[in-house]
Amino acid sequence: MTNPLFYAKIILFGEYGMIEDSQGLVVPYSFYKGTLKFFETKSEFEIKSNGHLQKYSDYLADLQLSDDFKLNVESFKQDISNGLFFDSNIPQGYGVGSSGALVAAIFEKYSLKKHDPENISKDNLKNLKAVFGEMESYFHGKSSGMDPLICYMNLPILIENKENLDKVAIPNGEKGKGAIFLIDSGITGETGPMIQIFFEKMKTEGFRKTLKEEFIRYNNACIDSFLKKDMNPFFRNLKKLSYWAYEHFRPMIPESIFNIWKKGLDSNAYYLKLCGSGGGGYILGFTKDYEKAEKMLDGFHKEVIYRF
Ligand SMILES: Nc1ncnc2c1ncn2[C@@H]1O[C@H](COP(=O)(O)OP(=O)(O)OP(=O)(O)O)[C@@H](O)[C@H]1O
Ligand SMILES: C[C@@](O)(CCO)CC(=O)[O-]
């Protein structure tokens, strides 16, 4: 039997906001994927991955999960000593969920009770997200559990708030001029320290207020208009979101990206936003005219993920 593949994810909207109860829209990204396997070549990558799993299994052994979601940690540990590793080309620290895919793969293989992602109830989806949040916290402190959940479900998910989330249909892409794309900042980012900066900022009342009254409002409006394919309000809110992040998420914007972020806002040719926690890795871009944006972003490595 071949092991199931677990895909990368892209948080189109909701990074940071989701920790504070905003809406979120997260989609699988099948360009990158991973699967659990036993040593094949015993390469440096395989040995390193196995070492990571070893340490992670100690964390899982101490984690108290409710009966429905308990893991067979003994069997996981046994497999690790027999050379288990996570064979994955999902870049680490790029905001596309390498740890989320790993968590989903481990849960799928070692949960004592088998769950069927296709027929999971809305209630259980919520419970599963909480379980994944606890499992993923090991990698970067507080996690909403969203990354592993998306990966486990392999479907777009709309998060309405902390309590409600469900599968959602993304409007079909079209061969239009518009595009959603990734830009490689050229450096890796670390989620943990970025989340720490976020919580540090959250201690200030002014920041909490603007996050709630502006960031979350623009974020939710972007999701709403995107799902309705209402492109004019979509881009109007995207610009506000991009500008807000430029002002308030400055430490999360990699230096290499700073100038082109501003250039997008000034020219209206494209708008950039964070993809995950930021600090490095990928940045998300949105444009009505990809040909034009591509020229303006010459020299940056880009990957188109959606056309409209
Ligand atoms: N192939 C792998 N084998 C073993 N461990 C891995 C593998 N891929 C990722 N990991 C674990 O996940 C950690 C990276 O997770 P982290 O949350 O910092 O980044 P990310 O998941 O790539 O980014 P983001 O959460 O922003 O999408 C690695 O340090 C490692 O512990
Ligand atoms: C920053 C954050 O919103 C996204 C990181 O990939 C954290 C989370 O929701 O798990």
Side-chain angles (χ1 to χ4, degrees):
M1 202 181 86
T2 53
N3 280 336
L5 290 171
F6 292 87
Y7 297 113
K9 63 86 227 254
I10 291 175
I11 303 182
L12 286 179
F13 296 101
E15 68 286 346
Y16 294 107
M18 279 190 287
I19 307 180
E20 292 299 318
D21 226 15
S22 79
Q23 289 186 11
L25 182 61
V26 192
V27 298
Y29 183 44
S30 58
F31 189 69
Y32 294 120
K33 43 193 165 291
T35 188
L36 287 167
K37 262 190 195 165
F38 290 94
F39 283 160
E40 285 175 341
T41 59
K42 256 196 146 179
S43 64
E44 200 182 313
F45 176 88
E46 295 183 3
I47 292 169
K48 201 168 158 202
S49 171
N50 178 266
H52 278 301
L53 298 191
Q54 174 71 54
K55 287 201 200 100
Y56 186 44
S57 69
D58 292 334
Y59 169 83
L60 290 181
D62 289 339
L63 196 64
Q64 297 293 330
L65 296 170
S66 64
D67 281 352
D68 271 356
F69 300 100
K70 280 210 181 335
L71 301 170
N72 188 346
V73 182
E74 275 318 300
S75 155
F76 182 41
K77 279 182 172 291
Q78 184 65 47
D79 286 349
I80 293 167
S81 61
N82 289 328
L84 188 77
F85 74 103
F86 190 52
D87 186 12
S88 159
N89 65 356
I90 308 173
Q92 294 179 29
Y94 255 69
V96 286
S98 70
S99 58
L102 175 61
V103 167
I106 292 170
F107 183 82
E108 193 277 336
K109 193 165 161 101
Y110 297 101
S111 65
L112 287 165
K113 205 168 154 183
K114 291 302 158 198
H115 303 262
D116 174 10
E118 281 182 19
N119 295 312
I120 207 154
S121 69
K122 211 176 155 179
D123 247 3
N124 255 337
L125 213 55
K126 193 173 107 187
N127 297 335
L128 200 54
K129 179 168 167 275
V131 167
F132 283 151
E134 289 187 58
M135 287 178 70
E136 209 198 17
S137 292
Y138 167 80
F139 297 101
H140 54 229
K142 193 174 162 69
S143 154
S144 64
M146 201 55 227
D147 289 11
L149 184 70
I150 283 294
C151 190
Y152 182 71
M153 301 294 298
N154 194 20
L155 284 171
I157 300 267
L158 173 67
I159 298 92
E160 284 170 48
N161 49 49
K162 277 189 188 158
E163 300 301 319
N164 290 294
L165 68 156
D166 212 346
K167 304 164 205 168
V168 70
I170 296 289
N172 283 334
E174 282 168 33
K175 280 208 162 113
K177 286 170 79 178
I180 306 179
F181 56 99
L182 299 173
I183 303 180
D184 188 344
S185 69
I187 54 163
T188 57
E190 265 190 88
T191 304
M194 290 296 125
I195 292 185
Q196 256 174 18
I197 294 174
F198 175 74
F199 279 114
E200 210 39 56
K201 281 176 171 280
M202 282 298 283
K203 288 183 184 160
T204 320
E205 200 195 325
F207 182 80
R208 285 201 303 274
K209 191 168 150 63
T210 177
L211 184 95
K212 271 217 164 76
E213 292 176 5
E214 297 180 274
F215 179 70
I216 292 184
R217 188 153 57 93
Y218 307 146
N219 173 77
N220 293 359
C222 280
I223 295 178
D224 200 48
S225 47
F226 178 70
L227 291 176
K228 287 186 190 140
K229 266 189 138 175
D230 220 347
M231 285 325 208
N232 286 332
F234 177 62
F235 274 93
R236 214 168 43 237
N237 282 290
L238 253 179
K239 178 168 189 177
K240 291 181 182 159
L241 193 69
S242 180
Y243 186 73
W244 190 93
Y246 185 75
E247 294 267 288
H248 299 282
F249 279 162
R250 211 161 269 220
M252 288 81 163
I253 302 177
E255 235 178 85
S256 58
I257 299 292
F258 210 66
N259 287 340
I260 54 167
W261 194 296
K262 179 83 174 13
K263 199 165 146 189
L265 284 167
D266 290 343
S267 64
N268 295 311
Y270 59 86
Y271 301 120
L272 303 187
K273 70 175 284 296
L274 297 179
C275 174
S277 54
Y282 288 119
I283 295 295
L284 265 168
F286 296 79
T287 178
K288 287 180 179 171
D289 183 347
Y290 186 65
E291 214 178 305
K292 181 173 168 193
E294 196 182 18
K295 285 198 188 101
M296 289 176 68
L297 296 166
D298 191 32
F300 287 87
H301 175 74
K302 299 172 279 303
E303 282 168 32
V304 173
I305 60 169
Y306 184 84
R307 297 283 327 206
F308 58 88

Coordinates of all heavy atoms in Angstrom, one line a residue, residues 9 45 48-50 52-53 85-88 90-100 102 136 138-140 147 189-192 275-278, ligand 1:
K9 N 0.0 24.1 2.1 CA -1.2 24.9 2.1 C -0.8 26.4 1.9 O 0.3 26.8 2.2 CB -1.9 24.7 3.4 CG -1.1 25.2 4.7 CD -1.2 26.6 5.0 CE 0.2 27.3 5.3 NZ 0.7 27.6 6.4
F45 N 19.3 14.1 4.5 CA 17.9 14.6 4.7 C 17.1 13.6 5.5 O 16.4 13.9 6.4 CB 17.3 14.9 3.3 CG 15.8 15.3 3.4 CD1 15.5 16.6 3.6 CD2 14.8 14.3 3.4 CE1 14.2 17.0 3.7 CE2 13.5 14.7 3.5 CZ 13.1 16.1 3.7
K48 N 18.2 13.4 9.1 CA 17.8 14.6 9.8 C 16.3 14.6 10.1 O 15.9 14.9 11.2 CB 18.2 15.9 9.0 CG 18.3 17.1 9.8 CD 18.9 18.3 9.0 CE 18.5 19.6 9.6 NZ 18.6 20.7 8.8
S49 N 15.6 14.2 9.1 CA 14.1 14.2 9.3 C 13.8 13.2 10.4 O 12.9 13.4 11.3 CB 13.5 13.8 8.0 OG 12.1 13.5 8.2
N50 N 14.4 12.0 10.4 CA 14.2 11.0 11.4 C 14.5 11.5 12.8 O 13.8 11.3 13.8 CB 15.1 9.8 11.0 CG 15.0 8.6 12.0 OD1 15.7 8.6 13.0 ND2 14.0 7.8 11.9
H52 N 14.3 14.7 13.7 CA 13.2 15.6 14.1 C 12.0 14.8 14.6 O 11.4 15.2 15.6 CB 12.7 16.4 12.9 CG 13.5 17.6 12.5 ND1 13.7 18.6 13.4 CD2 14.2 17.9 11.4 CE1 14.5 19.5 12.8 NE2 14.8 19.1 11.6
L53 N 11.7 13.7 14.0 CA 10.6 12.9 14.4 C 10.8 12.3 15.8 O 9.9 12.2 16.6 CB 10.3 11.7 13.4 CG 9.9 12.1 12.0 CD1 9.4 10.9 11.2 CD2 8.8 13.2 11.9
F85 N 10.9 8.5 8.3 CA 11.1 9.9 8.1 C 10.0 10.5 7.2 O 9.2 9.8 6.7 CB 12.5 10.1 7.4 CG 12.6 9.7 5.9 CD1 12.6 10.7 4.9 CD2 12.6 8.4 5.5 CE1 12.6 10.4 3.6 CE2 12.7 8.1 4.2 CZ 12.7 9.1 3.2
F86 N 10.0 11.8 7.1 CA 9.0 12.5 6.3 C 9.6 12.9 5.0 O 10.4 13.9 5.0 CB 8.4 13.7 7.1 CG 7.2 14.3 6.5 CD1 6.1 13.5 6.2 CD2 7.1 15.7 6.3 CE1 4.9 14.1 5.6 CE2 6.0 16.2 5.7 CZ 4.9 15.4 5.4
D87 N 9.3 12.2 4.0 CA 9.8 12.5 2.7 C 9.0 13.6 2.0 O 7.9 13.4 1.5 CB 9.7 11.2 1.8 CG 10.4 11.4 0.5 OD1 11.1 12.3 0.3 OD2 10.2 10.5 -0.4
S88 N 9.6 14.8 2.1 CA 8.8 16.0 1.7 C 9.6 17.0 0.9 O 10.8 17.2 1.3 CB 8.2 16.6 3.0 OG 7.8 17.9 2.8
I90 N 8.2 20.0 0.7 CA 7.7 21.3 1.1 C 8.8 22.1 1.8 O 9.4 21.6 2.8 CB 6.5 21.1 2.1 CG1 5.5 20.1 1.5 CG2 5.8 22.4 2.5 CD1 4.4 19.7 2.5
P91 N 9.1 23.3 1.3 CA 10.2 24.0 1.9 C 9.9 24.4 3.4 O 8.7 24.7 3.7 CB 10.3 25.3 1.0 CG 9.1 25.4 0.3 CD 8.5 24.0 0.2
Q92 N 10.9 24.3 4.2 CA 10.7 24.6 5.6 C 10.9 26.1 5.9 O 11.8 26.7 5.3 CB 11.6 23.8 6.5 CG 11.3 22.3 6.4 CD 12.2 21.4 7.2 OE1 12.8 21.8 8.2 NE2 12.4 20.2 6.8
G93 N 10.0 26.7 6.7 CA 10.1 28.1 7.0 C 9.8 29.0 5.8 O 10.3 30.1 5.6
Y94 N 8.9 28.5 4.9 CA 8.5 29.3 3.8 C 7.0 29.7 3.8 O 6.5 30.2 2.9 CB 8.8 28.5 2.5 CG 10.0 29.1 1.8 CD1 11.3 29.0 2.4 CD2 9.9 29.9 0.6 CE1 12.3 29.6 1.8 CE2 10.9 30.5 0.1 CZ 12.2 30.4 0.6 OH 13.3 31.0 0.1
G95 N 6.3 29.3 4.9 CA 4.9 29.8 5.1 C 4.0 28.9 4.4 O 2.8 29.2 4.3
V96 N 4.4 27.7 3.8 CA 3.5 26.9 3.1 C 3.2 25.6 3.9 O 2.7 24.6 3.3 CB 3.9 26.6 1.7 CG1 3.6 27.8 0.8 CG2 5.3 26.2 1.5
G97 N 3.6 25.6 5.2 CA 3.0 24.5 6.1 C 3.8 23.2 6.1 O 3.1 22.2 6.1
S98 N 5.1 23.2 6.1 CA 5.8 21.9 6.2 C 5.5 21.2 7.5 O 5.3 20.0 7.5 CB 7.3 22.1 6.0 OG 7.9 22.7 7.2
S99 N 5.4 21.9 8.6 CA 5.1 21.3 9.8 C 3.6 20.8 9.9 O 3.3 19.8 10.4 CB 5.4 22.2 11.0 OG 4.7 23.4 11.0
G100 N 2.8 21.6 9.2 CA 1.3 21.2 9.2 C 1.2 19.9 8.4 O 0.4 19.0 8.9
L102 N 3.4 17.6 8.1 CA 3.9 16.5 8.9 C 2.9 16.1 10.0 O 2.7 14.9 10.2 CB 5.2 17.0 9.6 CG 5.9 16.1 10.6 CD1 6.3 14.8 9.9 CD2 7.2 16.7 11.1
E136 N 0.6 20.9 16.7 CA 1.5 21.7 16.0 C 2.2 22.8 16.8 O 3.3 23.3 16.4 CB 0.8 22.4 14.8 CG 1.8 22.7 13.7 CD 1.3 23.7 12.6 OE1 0.4 24.5 12.9 OE2 1.9 23.7 11.5
Y138 N 4.1 22.4 19.1 CA 5.5 22.0 19.3 C 6.5 22.8 18.4 O 7.6 23.2 18.8 CB 5.7 20.5 19.1 CG 7.1 20.0 19.0 CD1 7.9 19.8 20.1 CD2 7.7 19.8 17.7 CE1 9.2 19.4 20.0 CE2 9.0 19.4 17.6 CZ 9.7 19.2 18.8 OH 11.0 18.7 18.7
F139 N 6.0 23.0 17.2 CA 6.9 23.6 16.2 C 7.1 25.1 16.3 O 8.1 25.6 15.9 CB 6.5 23.2 14.8 CG 6.6 21.7 14.5 CD1 5.4 20.9 14.6 CD2 7.8 21.1 14.3 CE1 5.5 19.5 14.4 CE2 7.9 19.7 14.2 CZ 6.7 18.9 14.2
H140 N 6.0 25.8 16.7 CA 6.2 27.2 16.7 C 5.3 27.9 17.7 O 4.8 29.0 17.4 CB 5.9 27.8 15.3 CG 4.6 27.4 14.6 ND1 4.6 27.0 13.4 CD2 3.4 27.5 15.1 CE1 3.3 26.7 13.1 NE2 2.6 27.0 14.1
D147 N -3.2 24.8 9.6 CA -2.4 24.2 8.6 C -2.5 22.7 8.5 O -2.8 22.2 7.4 CB -0.9 24.5 8.9 CG -0.5 25.9 8.7 OD1 -1.4 26.7 8.5 OD2 0.7 26.2 8.7
G189 N 11.9 32.0 7.0 CA 11.4 32.7 8.2 C 11.1 31.7 9.2 O 10.9 30.6 9.0
E190 N 11.1 32.2 10.5 CA 10.7 31.3 11.5 C 9.4 31.7 12.1 O 9.2 32.9 12.5 CB 11.8 31.3 12.6 CG 12.8 30.2 12.4 CD 13.7 30.1 13.6 OE1 13.3 29.4 14.6 OE2 14.7 30.8 13.6
T191 N 8.4 30.8 12.2 CA 7.1 31.2 12.6 C 7.1 31.6 14.1 O 6.5 32.6 14.5 CB 6.1 30.0 12.4 OG1 6.2 29.7 11.0 CG2 4.7 30.3 12.8
G192 N 7.8 30.8 15.0 CA 7.8 31.1 16.4 C 8.1 32.6 16.8 O 7.3 33.2 17.4
C275 N 2.1 35.6 3.5 CA 1.7 34.2 3.3 C 2.1 33.4 4.5 O 3.3 33.1 4.6 CB 2.4 33.7 2.0 SG 2.0 32.0 1.6
G276 N 1.2 33.3 5.4 CA 1.6 32.7 6.7 C 2.2 33.8 7.6 O 1.8 34.9 7.5
S277 N 3.1 33.4 8.4 CA 3.6 34.3 9.5 C 4.6 35.3 9.0 O 4.8 36.3 9.7 CB 4.2 33.5 10.6 OG 5.2 32.6 10.1
G278 N 5.1 35.1 7.8 CA 6.1 36.1 7.3 C 7.5 36.0 7.8 O 7.8 34.9 8.3
Ligands
LIG1 N1 10.5 16.6 6.1 C1 10.5 16.8 7.5 N2 11.0 15.9 8.3 C2 10.9 16.1 9.7 N3 10.5 17.3 10.2 C3 10.1 18.2 9.4 C4 10.0 18.1 8.0 N4 9.5 19.2 7.4 C5 9.3 20.0 8.4 N5 9.6 19.5 9.6 C6 9.5 20.1 11.0 O1 8.8 21.3 10.9 C7 9.6 22.4 11.3 C8 9.3 23.6 10.5 O2 8.1 24.1 10.9 P1 7.7 25.7 10.9 O3 6.3 25.8 11.5 O4 8.8 26.4 11.6 O5 7.7 26.1 9.4 P2 6.7 25.8 8.3 O6 5.6 24.8 8.8 O7 7.4 25.4 7.1 O8 6.1 27.2 8.0 P3 4.6 27.8 8.3 O9 4.1 27.3 9.6 O10 4.9 29.3 8.3 O11 3.8 27.4 7.1 C9 11.0 21.9 11.1 O12 11.9 22.5 12.0 C10 10.9 20.4 11.5 O13 10.9 20.2 12.9

